[in-house]
Every structure is written in structure tokens, then in C-alpha cells.
Amino acid sequence: MISDPITHRNRTVAALHVVRRLLFSSLPSLSPRLLDHYGVVPPPSLRPHNRNPSSGHQAEANNDKKKKKTKVPYRPPSSLDRAGQKPVHSNLPFDFRFSYTESSPNVKPIGLREPKYSPFGPGHLDRIWTGFSAPAVDPTVRSVDGNGPEAVDLEKAKEIRMRILGRPLSPAERACLVEKYQKNRTKRQVNLGRRDGLTHNMLNDIHNNWKNAEAVRIKCLGVPTVDMENVCTQLEEKTGGLIIHRHGGQILLYRGRHYNTKNRPRIPLMLWKPHEPIYPRLIKTVIEGLTIEETKEMRKRGLAVPALTKLAKNGYYASLVPMVRDAFLTDELVRIDCKGLEKSDYKKIGVKLRDLVPCVLVTFEKEQIVAWRGKHYNRSTHPSSEERSFTQVTESGIFAENCSVDSCSSSVDQISDLNTNDEDTASSTS
């Protein structure tokens, strides 16, 4: 039988169409009959999942997943995030200030350099920040009498302090503590701020040292040492401790016999240093009681006067006030050389001299402190250091004599009592 070439060609074309459909179709869609009849299986390169145009992007994504994931940078918990937390309450009976030795609550500023942002953080403390302090009592709350804001019970605070201190230390206990916490025995020490003095956060440092030690050594240098009495007073009042030893700028602060670390006062920390408020000018254009010409002439003479002393940077200035008082006994003007010191430092020293000597500040030009004793200076009201030391020695000698006389008289009385008792017993036996 002769086959028609046309029909043979049509069959070939039909077979090619079937093969093409098999090649471009997925394996699950192929029927078993066609696979068995034709035995055509597409190669892996022509399979549908390899012909997908997005296959390259998927491979890149898989490679990226295989790579090591980069760590998310660590974000520490913010102390400003106070969501759901109550403000901290402190039972300390004094106003919170940044510095307790370099600022006085009696001197009110005339302005602020920044808005009243609390350095404790927003919503962190239950006290109002007035711009330079956080009062223990809300100034807007009035007392029952209506005379003014409520007062803090200082007597109760003193009773608590005396209860914690307990009975006084004996001389042997005091000497043992002083020897135990000397510089050659322990390195535990708190450094007082050389410019800011006793700061608020330093109170927390002192209580942390009291956890493991009965006393802590405090080293004082710089501006606060001009008035060491104020430093000692503020340390005892703000910490509740007791100063048992002082040598120069080193102070040993004792915590007390009944100090309990679990019941220590809660001291909220300041997160940043607040800007200092604006105070009145220290140097006025015209000194009170003088004319403009006399003021200019005094400033010229003050800068030409020989320097009383030269202050070293971050030194110990406890003897500065007696030196100025002694110099005022003979000289009208006193000049102190402050070259090398910061301007804010010798201005603070000038303020302390003005209040402690007392004197009138003339100028701070050329890194010098020039002070004038004033028109109505009375020598009798300002004795020299030698006279003060002499009076102290005489008073201590008189006190010792009185004590010795009292002790002698008491011993004589005791001896006479013993003699009378012996006589009574002898007469009774006879």
C-alpha cells in the first residue's frame, strides 16, 4: 500500500506538536499513557521550575538567608522612660541641690539660664524643681495656720541621727578606727569636688562605702577648702555621720554604731549637672561709699600692691582667711595672685573671702583678687590668728586647771568619806 506523503507529513507535524506540549508541560499534568507510549521526559534544564524568570531572585534570597544575620545594636534601657512607674520618694529632710558647700539657700538668684528642667529626669522625683533646688516641702502647699509653707520636722531627724550614732566612741575605739582607715592601710577614699564641693550624688557614694566599712576617708582640695568648717558641717548634716578625725584636707567620717545598710536613706541621683542660676554682680562699677575716681584709683593701687600669696591649682586653702585677716591689721588693700586658676574658681574664692573675712571685693582683673578692708574697719572685732590661738591656749589651760582642781577636791572628799567610815566602824566594834 502506497502512503500519501501529505498524510505522512501531517502525522509528523502532529507528533512534533505533542512532543512540544510534553516538553512545556509540568510532570504532574502528564498522563501515564503518553509517557508510556512516547517515553519522552524533559531534561532538568527545561523543567518548568527552572524556566521560571523569578528563579534567580529566589536563589539570591536563599543565599542571603544563609549569610549570618547582623546583630541589632544594643540599646540600653533609658532612665528617662518612666512609663508605668511612680515617682521616687525620699524622706531626707533637706532641700536637694547640686552642690551643698558651694551654694547657699539664703542667697536667692535673680534669674535662670535655662527652663526649669529637673536634673533627676522628667517624672522621676516627687519634688518640684525650682531651677536651683528641689525643696523637701512643696512651696505651693500652705500650712494649717496659713502663715506659710509647711516646715520640716528637724527635731525628729536629729533624734533618728543620734539613735543611729549610738553612744559616743571611746578614745581607744576612735584611735583604732583612725589607724584602720589611714592611707597606708586602705585605698577606700572619696574625693570631694575641687570646684563643686559636696555634690548631691556624692552622698550616694558615701553610703555605698559604708556598706563594707564603718568609716570612709574623704579628701578635700580646691575651692571648698577655704571654708572647711562649712564642709564638715554639711557632711555631718547631709549624711548623718560623725567626723571622728580631721588632718588638713583629710576627713574620716564615721557611720554610727547602729547603722543598717538595708534601712539606708533613698537618694535619687541627678542625671546631669544643672546650669548655675544668675546671681548679682560681684564687682560693682562704683564701690559703695566711694566716688568713681576713688574707685579707679583704688583698683590701680590694688593691682600694684605686693601679692600676699600665690594660690596653687587645686591646693589646700584653709589658711587663706586667717592670712587675709592678719594682713588687714596693717594694710588697707590685699592682693592674691591666682594665675593658673580658672576664672570661676577664683571668683568663688573671692565670694568666700567677702563673707568670712569680711571685706569688699575691688577687682578680679589680670587673674588677681584685690580686696579692701573697708572704711569702718575695727581691729578689735577682728583679732589676729596669734591672739586667737593664745586665747584658745589660755582657755584650755584654765579648763584643765579647773578639771584638775575638781578632780583633786573630789578625791579629797572621797578620802575624807573613807576615813569617817573607818572611824564609824571602829567605834561600833569597840
Side-chain angles (χ1 to χ4, degrees):
M1 181 178 180
I2 301 173
S3 62
D4 189 1
I6 298 174
T7 56
H8 180 71
R9 187 175 60 184
N10 291 337
R11 288 176 182 175
T12 305
V13 172
L16 291 174
H17 279 294
V18 172
V19 171
R20 186 177 295 177
R21 287 182 62 186
L22 291 173
L23 293 175
F24 290 98
S25 62
S26 59
L27 285 175
S29 64
L30 295 175
S31 63
R33 187 178 64 83
L34 293 175
L35 289 174
D36 296 339
H37 184 73
Y38 293 100
V40 177
V41 179
S45 61
L46 298 177
R47 288 180 182 177
H49 63 274
N50 289 331
R51 292 185 291 101
N52 191 359
S54 62
S55 61
H57 298 289
Q58 291 180 357
E60 293 179 0
N62 294 332
N63 293 334
D64 293 340
K65 289 181 180 179
K66 292 179 181 179
K67 291 181 180 179
K68 188 177 180 180
K69 294 183 179 180
T70 56
K71 288 186 177 181
V72 180
Y74 173 71
R75 183 182 178 186
S78 176
S79 57
L80 300 179
D81 188 8
R82 302 285 300 175
Q85 298 183 16
K86 294 182 179 180
V88 178
H89 177 72
S90 179
N91 293 324
L92 293 174
F94 53 85
D95 300 349
F96 292 162
R97 289 179 283 143
F98 175 73
S99 176
Y100 296 106
T101 57
E102 304 308 304
S103 61
S104 175
N106 300 325
V107 180
K108 301 298 181 182
I110 59 176
L112 301 176
R113 301 181 188 274
E114 63 176 359
K116 296 179 181 180
Y117 295 134
S118 175
F120 299 97
H124 191 276
L125 188 65
D126 62 349
R127 297 189 182 188
I128 298 176
W129 180 255
T130 61
F132 52 90
S133 67
V137 178
D138 191 350
T140 59
V141 178
R142 297 291 175 179
S143 62
V144 179
D145 301 335
N147 297 328
E150 295 182 356
V152 181
D153 192 0
L154 298 178
E155 296 296 331
K156 184 178 179 181
K158 289 181 180 179
E159 290 179 2
I160 295 174
R161 178 175 178 266
M162 298 306 295
R163 193 184 309 128
I164 293 174
L165 290 177
R167 59 186 176 83
L169 293 172
S170 63
E173 292 174 334
R174 187 185 295 262
C176 181
L177 285 175
V178 171
E179 182 65 24
K180 183 179 179 181
Y181 295 101
Q182 287 299 319
K183 192 174 183 180
N184 58 349
R185 293 293 186 91
T186 178
K187 295 182 179 179
R188 191 184 297 274
Q189 177 176 291
V190 176
N191 295 323
L192 198 74
R194 299 181 180 181
R195 293 182 182 176
D196 299 324
L198 179 62
T199 59
H200 179 77
N201 290 355
M202 198 176 294
L203 304 180
N204 189 59
D205 296 339
I206 293 173
H207 282 280
N208 289 339
N209 279 273
W210 278 346
K211 285 183 180 179
N212 304 316
E214 293 181 89
V216 59
R217 188 175 67 250
I218 301 173
K219 186 176 182 180
C220 308
L221 289 176
V223 178
T225 58
V226 178
D227 190 5
M228 284 299 296
E229 294 183 2
N230 182 39
V231 172
C232 297
T233 303
Q234 294 297 331
L235 278 172
E236 290 186 343
E237 288 183 356
K238 300 303 185 289
T239 62
L242 180 67
I243 294 176
I244 59 175
H245 178 70
R246 174 186 161 191
H247 178 70
Q250 288 192 357
I251 297 173
L252 194 62
L253 190 63
Y254 176 59
R255 67 182 184 181
R257 293 183 184 273
H258 309 295
Y259 180 83
N260 188 0
T261 56
K262 296 182 180 179
N263 296 331
R264 55 172 285 184
R266 190 167 187 179
I267 304 173
L269 299 180
M270 287 190 177
L271 305 181
W272 64 81
K273 178 182 177 180
H275 286 282
E276 294 185 359
I278 303 173
Y279 291 99
R281 292 186 59 181
L282 296 176
I283 306 297
K284 297 182 180 180
T285 307
V286 180
I287 298 176
E288 187 177 357
L290 301 178
T291 62
I292 297 178
E293 290 77 9
E294 291 174 346
T295 303
K296 291 181 179 179
E297 182 65 25
M298 182 173 291
R299 285 172 181 162
K300 289 181 181 179
R301 286 193 298 114
L303 293 174
V305 168
L308 176 65
T309 183
K310 186 181 186 306
L311 300 182
K313 189 174 183 179
N314 298 328
Y316 181 68
Y317 311 137
S319 61
L320 185 60
V321 173
M323 287 175 63
V324 175
R325 285 176 178 170
D326 293 346
F328 278 155
L329 296 177
T330 56
D331 300 328
E332 184 181 10
L333 293 171
V334 169
R335 180 172 68 90
I336 302 171
D337 190 359
C338 303
K339 288 184 179 179
L341 272 69
E342 296 289 337
K343 189 174 183 179
S344 59
D345 291 352
Y346 60 77
K347 279 190 174 182
K348 290 179 181 178
I349 293 174
V351 172
K352 291 178 182 293
L353 291 176
R354 180 195 64 183
D355 299 334
L356 297 174
V357 173
C359 60
V360 180
L361 297 176
V362 178
T363 183
F364 287 126
E365 294 179 1
K366 299 180 180 180
E367 298 181 354
Q368 309 290 320
I369 299 177
V370 179
W372 178 45
R373 66 183 183 182
K375 283 187 175 181
H376 308 288
Y377 183 80
N378 190 0
R379 296 184 180 181
S380 60
T381 57
H382 303 285
S384 63
S385 58
E386 295 180 358
E387 294 176 353
R388 285 194 299 273
S389 61
F390 178 74
T391 54
Q392 290 175 358
V393 169
T394 54
E395 288 177 358
S396 61
I398 294 171
F399 179 75
E401 290 177 359
N402 292 335
C403 291
S404 61
V405 169
D406 294 339
S407 61
C408 292
S409 60
S410 61
S411 60
V412 169
D413 294 339
Q414 292 175 357
I415 293 171
S416 61
D417 293 338
L418 290 173
N419 294 333
T420 53
N421 292 334
D422 294 338
E423 293 176 356
D424 294 337
T425 53
S427 60
S428 61
T429 54
S430 60

